[in-house]
Amino acid sequence: MKPRGTDPRILSLAAEVAKSPEQNVPVILLKLKEIINNTPLGSSELKKIKEDIYCYDLIRYCLLVLSQDCSRIQGGWTTISQLTQILSHCCVGLEPGEDAEEFYNELLPSAAENFLVLGRRLQTCFINAAKGEEKDELLHFFQIVTDSLFWLLGGHVQLIQNVLQSDHFLHLLQTDNLQIGSTVMTMLQNILQINSGDLLRIEGKKLHSILDEVVFKLLSTPSSVIRSTATKLLLLMTKSHQEILILLRLSACYKGLRRLLNKPEPGTEFSQELGQLIALLTPNVYQEVEEQKLHQAACLIQAYWKGFQTRKRLKKLPSAVITLQRSFRSKRTKILQKLHREKEEEDRRLQLLLQRQRAMRLSRELQLSMLEIVHPGQVEKYNREIEEKSALIIQKHWRGYRERKNFRQQRPSLTEYKAAVILQRASSQMSDVTSKELHSRAQEQLQHYLMGRALEERAQQRREALMAQINTNIEQLMRAPNLKEAEEKEPELFLSRSRPVAAKAKQAHLTTLKHLQAPWWKKLGEEAGDEIDVPKDELSVELETLFIGGTKLP
């Protein structure tokens, strides 16, 4: 899966590598050096560029080029040395992500091994070269390869063990050439300064071979540079690992080493390091080292014994610790429960408050909606009904509160009454005749109550039905269309279902019409609200023409 937001330079370079012939690939890969050098060191942009280079397999292309024959590559050792720099810089600081196992277990060891193989090839070419300029050039390329290898090991310390165990590294170290040997010895010193612990993790045979070669160069090489580097290497090994010091002191292979080291004349550049090495190899210093080891062993034994005593004392205190923990957990649980209850009460109080506010809001909205629906002439009646209902509710709550209060006050007397009844019942038993009469009276009262309740329920239902009918009729009348807008079929929707009501409505209608049609001089002595007599023959009009209400057609 390719990353998003890839650098266009990497995309272009990857496409060019994929399309170009094999012999042109090394030269194309050299463009990576310019891209890396133009990016600030340690920036997030450089990290993203390295990830893009790895995702598009340009690192593997570099490895494939380094494994090829130098004579077949355009530019020769110049191209190869620059590719080693590019490869080491791309691998250091790279986070492969999902392919981490393949990167650390396959790609990095392969890169380190290729660097060592290139070093051996350059070593061979350097030894076989005749001209001085060619030797200097090859030595320069060799130093670039070793610097790239050291840069790779500095970024990935786990590769040090692989390099130290490699046969190619041992062959590089065993060279007789002073310049190559000095470069390899310096690289080994720098590697051990990074992490000297990997020296003991390699095989014993490899360790002895490296140690033999360092001792050999110290004793047999006339170059002061190599002898100084070898002395520093041995001093670093012995100070870091006492096992190597014991090996140099007691092994038969290095018998007489201290005597041979005393031969060089003082005044050399590395006389101080050499003196320290000779002091470490002398018996007195060895004895001090042994005493130091014994002291460390004694401290370790004391530490274990004190730990044993402390654990033994702790085993005697489990009950106290358990009790302390139990009390602490119980107290913490109670505190948490109290906080939880307080929180629940607060939430419940807020919920009730919200419900009340919501109910009040809905009630007000309902009232407003009802006021919008009710005819203006019915507003006062509606308000009066609401006030009556509110007064009834207030009275009901007040009566309930008063009765509960009276009941609480009368509870002692009720208790005494019940106790007296129980005592009387226990003291005197009722006869069969009396109990039957009492039972019959109770049955009669119950029957009377049930019949009265049934009649009251039917009356209540009738009242509710009449109220609903009246409200429906009023609503139909309020929604009735104007006379100007009425059609032929609309009067039929307002026919009355009750003849008395129709007659009364007809009488009121005729009275109003007669009063309106009368001349003005006949109305001089009348007052508002006076009834007008209407002849009975005028009331004989067909009642089917009357209406009491209806709904306006859409």
Side-chain angles (χ1 to χ4, degrees):
M1 181 178 179
K2 303 303 180 184
R4 296 180 180 179
T6 307
D7 193 303
R9 297 173 295 178
I10 304 300
L11 284 173
S12 176
L13 187 60
E16 188 176 358
V17 169
K19 296 178 181 178
S20 301
E22 183 180 353
Q23 61 272 15
N24 296 336
V25 170
V27 180
I28 298 173
L29 290 175
L30 293 179
K31 297 179 181 179
L32 291 173
K33 185 176 182 180
E34 182 180 357
I35 297 174
I36 295 173
N37 292 336
N38 292 335
T39 308
L41 187 64
S43 62
S44 58
E45 183 182 357
L46 180 60
K47 180 180 178 181
K48 183 65 173 60
I49 288 176
K50 291 180 181 180
E51 293 177 357
D52 295 340
I53 292 173
Y54 176 74
C55 290
Y56 284 92
D57 291 334
L58 296 179
I59 293 180
R60 293 189 179 277
Y61 276 108
C62 293
L63 281 176
L64 291 175
V65 172
L66 294 180
S67 61
Q68 295 178 4
D69 188 5
C70 176
S71 59
R72 298 174 53 188
I73 297 176
Q74 185 180 358
W77 287 112
T78 303
T79 304
I80 292 294
S81 61
Q82 293 180 6
L83 286 178
T84 57
Q85 291 179 333
I86 294 172
L87 182 59
S88 62
H89 280 80
C90 290
C91 291
V92 174
L94 174 62
E95 296 180 1
E98 297 179 356
D99 302 332
E101 184 176 357
E102 180 183 0
F103 176 74
Y104 289 111
N105 297 336
E106 296 181 9
L107 193 144
L108 288 179
S110 177
E113 191 70 14
N114 281 336
F115 285 174
L116 293 175
V117 172
L118 288 175
R120 288 198 62 189
R121 291 178 184 175
L122 282 169
Q123 180 185 14
T124 304
C125 294
F126 178 81
I127 295 173
N128 297 331
K131 298 179 181 179
E133 295 180 357
E134 185 179 359
K135 280 182 173 292
D136 294 339
E137 189 176 10
L138 290 173
L139 181 61
H140 174 68
F141 293 146
F142 183 80
Q143 291 176 349
I144 293 177
V145 172
T146 54
D147 291 342
S148 301
L149 176 60
F150 178 70
W151 182 266
L152 182 65
L153 296 179
H156 301 281
V157 186
Q158 71 276 8
L159 295 176
I160 294 177
Q161 186 177 357
N162 297 344
V163 172
L164 294 178
Q165 291 186 138
S166 176
D167 294 333
H168 299 294
F169 177 76
L170 187 60
H171 282 88
L172 290 174
L173 187 63
Q174 292 175 349
T175 181
D176 294 333
N177 186 270
L178 298 179
Q179 296 171 324
I180 298 292
S182 175
T183 304
V184 176
M185 294 281 287
T186 304
M187 184 181 67
L188 178 59
Q189 181 183 358
N190 295 332
I191 290 174
L192 294 181
Q193 287 177 353
I194 294 175
N195 187 10
S196 61
D198 290 324
L199 190 63
L200 293 180
R201 287 197 288 268
I202 64 177
E203 298 178 1
K205 186 177 180 181
K206 298 288 185 181
L207 177 60
H208 290 167
S209 300
I210 294 175
L211 194 59
D212 292 344
E213 187 62 28
V214 174
V215 173
F216 174 76
K217 291 186 180 299
L218 175 60
L219 297 177
S220 62
T221 305
S223 174
S224 60
V225 177
I226 294 181
R227 294 181 64 188
S228 175
T229 306
T231 303
K232 294 177 181 179
L233 272 173
L234 286 177
L235 193 60
L236 178 62
M237 292 178 184
T238 53
K239 286 184 177 180
S240 302
H241 308 289
Q242 294 184 358
E243 293 83 354
I244 297 178
L245 178 61
I246 295 172
L247 181 64
L248 293 175
R249 181 66 180 83
L250 300 178
S251 177
C253 300
Y254 306 106
K255 187 177 181 180
L257 177 61
R258 184 174 60 86
R259 186 173 61 256
L260 294 174
L261 291 176
N262 285 325
K263 288 184 178 181
E265 298 180 358
T268 57
E269 296 179 357
F270 59 96
S271 59
Q272 184 178 358
E273 290 83 1
L274 186 60
Q276 294 178 5
L277 181 60
I278 294 172
L280 286 175
L281 295 177
T282 54
N284 294 333
V285 176
Y286 174 72
Q287 186 176 0
E288 293 178 359
V289 173
E290 289 296 323
E291 291 178 356
Q292 186 178 2
K293 289 179 64 178
L294 292 175
H295 177 71
Q296 293 177 354
C299 293
L300 185 62
I301 293 172
Q302 290 178 2
Y304 276 102
W305 171 253
K306 292 178 181 178
F308 169 74
Q309 291 292 333
T310 304
R311 287 189 295 272
K312 187 176 179 181
R313 286 195 301 269
L314 288 175
K315 287 181 180 179
K316 297 179 181 180
L317 302 175
S319 58
V321 175
I322 292 173
T323 304
L324 180 62
Q325 290 178 349
R326 186 184 297 112
S327 61
F328 171 74
R329 290 170 182 169
S330 176
K331 185 177 180 181
R332 183 179 60 182
T333 304
K334 290 180 180 178
I335 293 174
L336 292 176
Q337 289 178 354
K338 182 180 178 182
L339 293 176
H340 185 65
R341 285 195 300 270
E342 291 178 354
K343 184 178 179 182
E344 287 183 349
E345 292 177 358
E346 183 68 18
D347 293 342
R348 186 160 48 250
R349 188 181 64 80
L350 292 176
Q351 190 68 22
L352 290 174
L353 182 61
L354 289 175
Q355 289 179 358
R356 291 174 182 173
Q357 292 178 355
R358 192 180 295 112
M360 187 178 296
R361 190 182 299 111
L362 291 176
S363 176
R364 290 178 180 175
E365 291 178 356
L366 182 61
Q367 291 178 1
L368 291 175
S369 63
M370 291 297 295
L371 289 175
E372 292 177 357
I373 295 173
V374 175
H375 192 270
Q378 300 292 327
V379 173
E380 184 177 357
K381 180 181 179 182
Y382 174 76
N383 291 334
R384 187 166 55 254
E385 291 179 356
I386 294 298
E387 291 177 356
E388 291 177 357
K389 290 181 180 180
S390 301
L392 290 175
I393 294 173
I394 294 172
Q395 291 175 3
K396 180 177 66 174
H397 283 282
W398 166 250
R399 289 169 182 169
Y401 167 74
R402 185 181 61 187
E403 293 298 328
R404 286 191 295 271
K405 184 177 180 181
N406 294 333
F407 177 76
R408 283 194 297 269
Q409 293 176 355
Q410 296 175 2
R411 181 175 293 176
S413 59
L414 290 174
T415 305
E416 294 176 358
Y417 174 76
K418 290 181 179 179
V421 170
I422 293 172
L423 290 174
Q424 291 175 4
R425 186 183 301 160
S427 60
S428 61
Q429 296 183 354
M430 188 179 296
S431 62
D432 295 338
V433 178
T434 307
S435 61
K436 288 180 180 180
E437 291 178 357
L438 182 61
H439 180 69
S440 62
R441 286 199 303 272
Q443 292 292 332
E444 290 177 359
Q445 291 180 0
L446 179 61
Q447 185 177 5
H448 180 72
Y449 170 74
L450 292 176
M451 292 178 64
R453 183 180 178 183
L455 292 174
E456 185 180 355
E457 288 180 354
R458 285 196 295 272
Q460 181 66 23
Q461 291 177 357
R462 180 173 179 81
R463 285 194 297 271
E464 291 178 356
L466 290 175
M467 288 297 296
Q469 183 178 358
I470 292 171
N471 292 332
T472 303
N473 295 336
I474 291 173
E475 184 179 357
Q476 290 179 350
L477 283 173
M478 290 172 60
R479 294 184 179 181
N482 298 329
L483 294 176
K484 295 180 181 180
E485 300 177 359
E487 298 179 0
E488 294 180 359
K489 296 182 180 181
E490 288 183 351
E492 298 178 0
L493 301 176
F494 304 99
L495 293 178
S496 173
R497 294 180 294 278
S498 175
R499 282 189 171 276
V501 173
K504 183 67 176 176
K506 180 62 177 177
Q507 182 180 359
H509 179 66
L510 291 176
T511 302
T512 305
L513 288 178
K514 186 176 180 179
H515 184 266
L516 292 175
Q517 293 175 0
W520 61 272
W521 50 269
K522 288 186 178 182
K523 303 178 184 177
L524 293 175
E526 296 180 357
E527 293 181 0
D530 293 343
E531 295 183 356
I532 303 174
D533 296 333
V534 180
K536 293 184 178 180
D537 55 353
E538 295 182 2
L539 296 175
S540 61
V541 184
E542 291 295 333
L543 296 177
E544 295 180 356
T545 60
L546 298 178
F547 65 93
I548 62 172
T551 55
K552 184 178 180 180
L553 296 176

